[in-house]
Amino acid sequence: MSLDVDLPEPPELAAVDPNEYEDAEVAGGEYRRDDLEALLREGAWEEAFDQWAAGSDMDAADWQIALDLELVSRFDFFWDDFADRVGYHAPGLPEDWKERDLHPDLDSWGTVSAINAGLTELGQIVCETLKEEYIDWEADFEAPDDLPDFDE
């Protein structure tokens, strides 16, 4: 499948400690958000979005709900120096979406699942695109000298 929609603006990355997210554990404190945000604006966002949209299982109605709820703007990307990778937090719809009456067209768990899965896939592709095509810095983390030598 593919999703034929307009490219949204890349998210503005906020100064949030990624360890506050339930799905992230990051060592260090230099998350390089300004650098990542610049790379997103320089083309990484568009490249990743186009790749994602070409294979996305989301349909236009699901995507419109995500846009209406401003979910795309709530993505977070951060540098994880210890793991030498770009980490991310994808926005999603909460389990109590029905009680909260978030959107008039949000009417099934299938739609909620499609939106949450689609945004997670987009976040992963953005991270891979940043790391493989745009980031030219090396991790600053150096392992301590006193680690055991497992090579034999």
Side-chain angles (χ1 to χ4, degrees):
M1 257 176 103
S2 91
L3 181 63
D4 185 19
V5 294
D6 293 335
L7 173 72
E9 287 294 314
E12 294 181 14
L13 306 182
V16 175
D17 182 346
N19 292 304
E20 292 181 23
Y21 301 128
E22 292 177 13
D23 58 352
E25 188 174 323
V26 181
E30 178 55 44
Y31 304 120
R32 301 186 82 152
R33 284 193 172 90
D34 290 340
D35 295 330
L36 293 173
E37 192 170 317
L39 294 173
L40 290 172
R41 296 200 177 282
E42 290 169 13
W45 177 256
E46 182 174 1
E47 184 178 330
F49 185 84
D50 289 348
Q51 179 185 342
W52 170 78
S56 178
D57 289 333
M58 282 181 78
D59 64 26
D62 295 343
W63 180 248
Q64 189 59 53
I65 293 170
L67 289 178
D68 291 348
L69 295 175
E70 299 179 355
L71 295 177
V72 175
S73 68
R74 297 194 339 232
F75 266 105
D76 187 20
F77 298 96
F78 48 88
W79 179 248
D80 182 348
D81 196 58
F82 182 76
D84 191 29
R85 69 176 180 96
V86 178
Y88 74 102
H89 175 74
L93 298 169
E95 289 185 19
D96 65 348
W97 61 271
K98 193 177 271 189
E99 292 82 24
R100 293 172 65 182
D101 195 28
L102 295 175
H103 192 279
D105 295 329
L106 192 57
D107 57 4
S108 74
W109 276 107
T111 301
V112 170
S113 180
I115 291 169
N116 287 347
L119 293 176
T120 298
E121 290 168 0
L122 174 57
Q124 184 61 44
I125 291 172
V126 170
C127 290
E128 292 167 1
T129 300
L130 283 165
K131 180 70 170 129
E132 295 169 9
E133 305 293 331
Y134 288 86
I135 291 176
D136 60 1
W137 62 72
E138 297 291 323
D140 292 331
F141 176 78
E142 292 184 28
D145 292 333
D146 61 349
L147 290 178
D149 185 11
F150 294 107
D151 296 334
E152 291 193 40

mmCIF file of all heavy atoms in Angstrom, residues 21-43:
data_model
loop_
_atom_site.group_PDB
_atom_site.id
_atom_site.type_symbol
_atom_site.label_atom_id
_atom_site.label_comp_id
_atom_site.label_asym_id
_atom_site.label_seq_id
_atom_site.Cartn_x
_atom_site.Cartn_y
_atom_site.Cartn_z
ATOM 1 N N TYR A 21 10.015 8.863 29.151
ATOM 2 C CA TYR A 21 9.133 8.042 28.330
ATOM 3 C C TYR A 21 9.150 6.612 28.840
ATOM 4 O O TYR A 21 10.182 6.101 29.258
ATOM 5 C CB TYR A 21 9.584 8.047 26.865
ATOM 6 C CG TYR A 21 9.620 9.413 26.231
ATOM 7 C CD1 TYR A 21 10.759 9.864 25.578
ATOM 8 C CD2 TYR A 21 8.518 10.255 26.277
ATOM 9 C CE1 TYR A 21 10.797 11.111 24.979
ATOM 10 C CE2 TYR A 21 8.553 11.507 25.694
ATOM 11 C CZ TYR A 21 9.702 11.923 25.045
ATOM 12 O OH TYR A 21 9.732 13.160 24.464
ATOM 13 N N GLU A 22 8.003 5.959 28.784
ATOM 14 C CA GLU A 22 7.898 4.566 29.230
ATOM 15 C C GLU A 22 8.711 3.628 28.352
ATOM 16 O O GLU A 22 9.132 2.577 28.787
ATOM 17 C CB GLU A 22 6.439 4.115 29.216
ATOM 18 C CG GLU A 22 5.578 4.800 30.243
ATOM 19 C CD GLU A 22 4.122 4.360 30.143
ATOM 20 O OE1 GLU A 22 3.832 3.369 29.450
ATOM 21 O OE2 GLU A 22 3.279 5.026 30.767
ATOM 22 N N ASP A 23 8.923 4.016 27.094
ATOM 23 C CA ASP A 23 9.557 3.120 26.131
ATOM 24 C C ASP A 23 11.017 3.457 25.826
ATOM 25 O O ASP A 23 11.558 3.005 24.830
ATOM 26 C CB ASP A 23 8.762 3.098 24.826
ATOM 27 C CG ASP A 23 8.619 4.486 24.204
ATOM 28 O OD1 ASP A 23 9.002 5.485 24.844
ATOM 29 O OD2 ASP A 23 8.116 4.571 23.081
ATOM 30 N N ALA A 24 11.671 4.250 26.684
ATOM 31 C CA ALA A 24 13.058 4.632 26.406
ATOM 32 C C ALA A 24 13.894 4.593 27.674
ATOM 33 O O ALA A 24 13.422 4.918 28.760
ATOM 34 C CB ALA A 24 13.113 6.031 25.805
ATOM 35 N N GLU A 25 15.122 4.186 27.509
ATOM 36 C CA GLU A 25 16.115 4.245 28.580
ATOM 37 C C GLU A 25 17.411 4.686 27.938
ATOM 38 O O GLU A 25 18.005 3.965 27.130
ATOM 39 C CB GLU A 25 16.280 2.882 29.236
ATOM 40 C CG GLU A 25 17.159 2.934 30.472
ATOM 41 C CD GLU A 25 17.197 1.611 31.196
ATOM 42 O OE1 GLU A 25 16.154 0.933 31.251
ATOM 43 O OE2 GLU A 25 18.271 1.273 31.680
ATOM 44 N N VAL A 26 17.851 5.913 28.255
ATOM 45 C CA VAL A 26 18.984 6.521 27.579
ATOM 46 C C VAL A 26 20.010 6.956 28.603
ATOM 47 O O VAL A 26 19.679 7.621 29.582
ATOM 48 C CB VAL A 26 18.519 7.738 26.746
ATOM 49 C CG1 VAL A 26 19.682 8.366 26.015
ATOM 50 C CG2 VAL A 26 17.419 7.326 25.783
ATOM 51 N N ALA A 27 21.261 6.591 28.372
ATOM 52 C CA ALA A 27 22.356 7.031 29.237
ATOM 53 C C ALA A 27 22.905 8.345 28.694
ATOM 54 O O ALA A 27 22.881 8.595 27.498
ATOM 55 C CB ALA A 27 23.451 5.973 29.283
ATOM 56 N N GLY A 28 23.408 9.169 29.561
ATOM 57 C CA GLY A 28 23.982 10.434 29.126
ATOM 58 C C GLY A 28 22.966 11.547 29.174
ATOM 59 O O GLY A 28 21.811 11.340 29.508
ATOM 60 N N GLY A 29 23.404 12.732 28.812
ATOM 61 C CA GLY A 29 22.501 13.863 28.900
ATOM 62 C C GLY A 29 22.599 14.802 27.717
ATOM 63 O O GLY A 29 21.925 15.810 27.684
ATOM 64 N N GLU A 30 23.414 14.499 26.737
ATOM 65 C CA GLU A 30 23.547 15.331 25.549
ATOM 66 C C GLU A 30 22.759 14.679 24.427
ATOM 67 O O GLU A 30 23.214 13.718 23.814
ATOM 68 C CB GLU A 30 25.020 15.469 25.164
ATOM 69 C CG GLU A 30 25.275 16.282 23.923
ATOM 70 C CD GLU A 30 24.665 17.681 23.954
ATOM 71 O OE1 GLU A 30 24.778 18.367 24.984
ATOM 72 O OE2 GLU A 30 24.059 18.065 22.955
ATOM 73 N N TYR A 31 21.586 15.191 24.147
ATOM 74 C CA TYR A 31 20.675 14.543 23.212
ATOM 75 C C TYR A 31 20.722 15.121 21.803
ATOM 76 O O TYR A 31 20.044 14.614 20.914
ATOM 77 C CB TYR A 31 19.249 14.562 23.761
ATOM 78 C CG TYR A 31 19.164 13.934 25.132
ATOM 79 C CD1 TYR A 31 18.718 14.654 26.224
ATOM 80 C CD2 TYR A 31 19.579 12.617 25.326
ATOM 81 C CE1 TYR A 31 18.662 14.069 27.486
ATOM 82 C CE2 TYR A 31 19.527 12.035 26.582
ATOM 83 C CZ TYR A 31 19.061 12.763 27.653
ATOM 84 O OH TYR A 31 19.016 12.190 28.897
ATOM 85 N N ARG A 32 21.477 16.187 21.597
ATOM 86 C CA ARG A 32 21.741 16.782 20.282
ATOM 87 C C ARG A 32 20.468 17.093 19.506
ATOM 88 O O ARG A 32 20.408 16.946 18.289
ATOM 89 C CB ARG A 32 22.689 15.903 19.491
ATOM 90 C CG ARG A 32 24.015 15.704 20.213
ATOM 91 C CD ARG A 32 24.994 14.977 19.381
ATOM 92 N NE ARG A 32 25.614 15.934 18.465
ATOM 93 C CZ ARG A 32 26.837 15.799 17.984
ATOM 94 N NH1 ARG A 32 27.570 14.766 18.319
ATOM 95 N NH2 ARG A 32 27.319 16.674 17.147
ATOM 96 N N ARG A 33 19.442 17.535 20.190
ATOM 97 C CA ARG A 33 18.165 17.819 19.534
ATOM 98 C C ARG A 33 18.282 18.946 18.509
ATOM 99 O O ARG A 33 17.650 18.890 17.457
ATOM 100 C CB ARG A 33 17.096 18.121 20.563
ATOM 101 C CG ARG A 33 16.586 16.871 21.255
ATOM 102 C CD ARG A 33 15.315 17.183 22.038
ATOM 103 N NE ARG A 33 14.721 15.988 22.552
ATOM 104 C CZ ARG A 33 15.000 15.472 23.747
ATOM 105 N NH1 ARG A 33 15.895 16.038 24.529
ATOM 106 N NH2 ARG A 33 14.390 14.373 24.154
ATOM 107 N N ASP A 34 19.084 19.973 18.817
ATOM 108 C CA ASP A 34 19.232 21.070 17.855
ATOM 109 C C ASP A 34 19.840 20.553 16.551
ATOM 110 O O ASP A 34 19.395 20.918 15.462
ATOM 111 C CB ASP A 34 20.100 22.192 18.430
ATOM 112 C CG ASP A 34 19.405 22.953 19.548
ATOM 113 O OD1 ASP A 34 18.153 22.895 19.633
ATOM 114 O OD2 ASP A 34 20.100 23.613 20.340
ATOM 115 N N ASP A 35 20.851 19.697 16.665
ATOM 116 C CA ASP A 35 21.477 19.113 15.476
ATOM 117 C C ASP A 35 20.481 18.244 14.712
ATOM 118 O O ASP A 35 20.397 18.304 13.481
ATOM 119 C CB ASP A 35 22.690 18.254 15.859
ATOM 120 C CG ASP A 35 23.812 19.069 16.481
ATOM 121 O OD1 ASP A 35 23.951 20.263 16.138
ATOM 122 O OD2 ASP A 35 24.550 18.511 17.316
ATOM 123 N N LEU A 36 19.741 17.412 15.431
ATOM 124 C CA LEU A 36 18.769 16.529 14.783
ATOM 125 C C LEU A 36 17.656 17.326 14.115
ATOM 126 O O LEU A 36 17.236 17.013 12.997
ATOM 127 C CB LEU A 36 18.190 15.537 15.795
ATOM 128 C CG LEU A 36 19.176 14.499 16.333
ATOM 129 C CD1 LEU A 36 18.535 13.698 17.451
ATOM 130 C CD2 LEU A 36 19.680 13.591 15.231
ATOM 131 N N GLU A 37 17.183 18.358 14.788
ATOM 132 C CA GLU A 37 16.127 19.181 14.206
ATOM 133 C C GLU A 37 16.614 19.846 12.920
ATOM 134 O O GLU A 37 15.880 19.902 11.929
ATOM 135 C CB GLU A 37 15.666 20.232 15.210
ATOM 136 C CG GLU A 37 14.398 20.930 14.793
ATOM 137 C CD GLU A 37 13.810 21.797 15.900
ATOM 138 O OE1 GLU A 37 13.768 21.369 17.058
ATOM 139 O OE2 GLU A 37 13.388 22.919 15.561
ATOM 140 N N ALA A 38 17.856 20.314 12.906
ATOM 141 C CA ALA A 38 18.423 20.912 11.690
ATOM 142 C C ALA A 38 18.496 19.880 10.567
ATOM 143 O O ALA A 38 18.159 20.178 9.412
ATOM 144 C CB ALA A 38 19.806 21.493 11.984
ATOM 145 N N LEU A 39 18.923 18.658 10.887
ATOM 146 C CA LEU A 39 18.997 17.606 9.869
ATOM 147 C C LEU A 39 17.618 17.239 9.332
ATOM 148 O O LEU A 39 17.463 16.979 8.133
ATOM 149 C CB LEU A 39 19.693 16.369 10.443
ATOM 150 C CG LEU A 39 21.170 16.540 10.798
ATOM 151 C CD1 LEU A 39 21.692 15.304 11.521
ATOM 152 C CD2 LEU A 39 21.996 16.854 9.567
ATOM 153 N N LEU A 40 16.622 17.227 10.202
ATOM 154 C CA LEU A 40 15.255 16.961 9.749
ATOM 155 C C LEU A 40 14.825 18.019 8.735
ATOM 156 O O LEU A 40 14.263 17.703 7.688
ATOM 157 C CB LEU A 40 14.285 16.929 10.928
ATOM 158 C CG LEU A 40 14.410 15.748 11.888
ATOM 159 C CD1 LEU A 40 13.514 15.952 13.103
ATOM 160 C CD2 LEU A 40 14.079 14.438 11.192
ATOM 161 N N ARG A 41 15.113 19.281 9.040
ATOM 162 C CA ARG A 41 14.723 20.382 8.154
ATOM 163 C C ARG A 41 15.540 20.399 6.861
ATOM 164 O O ARG A 41 15.068 20.892 5.837
ATOM 165 C CB ARG A 41 14.839 21.716 8.879
ATOM 166 C CG ARG A 41 13.868 21.802 10.041
ATOM 167 C CD ARG A 41 13.587 23.214 10.487
ATOM 168 N NE ARG A 41 12.610 23.212 11.546
ATOM 169 C CZ ARG A 41 11.296 23.056 11.377
ATOM 170 N NH1 ARG A 41 10.815 22.871 10.188
ATOM 171 N NH2 ARG A 41 10.475 23.070 12.400
ATOM 172 N N GLU A 42 16.747 19.868 6.916
ATOM 173 C CA GLU A 42 17.620 19.847 5.727
ATOM 174 C C GLU A 42 17.273 18.722 4.758
ATOM 175 O O GLU A 42 17.917 18.596 3.720
ATOM 176 C CB GLU A 42 19.085 19.738 6.156
ATOM 177 C CG GLU A 42 19.612 20.979 6.820
ATOM 178 C CD GLU A 42 20.973 20.780 7.475
ATOM 179 O OE1 GLU A 42 21.638 19.751 7.224
ATOM 180 O OE2 GLU A 42 21.368 21.663 8.255
ATOM 181 N N GLY A 43 16.308 17.886 5.084
ATOM 182 C CA GLY A 43 15.891 16.876 4.126
ATOM 183 C C GLY A 43 15.637 15.502 4.697
ATOM 184 O O GLY A 43 15.007 14.667 4.036
#
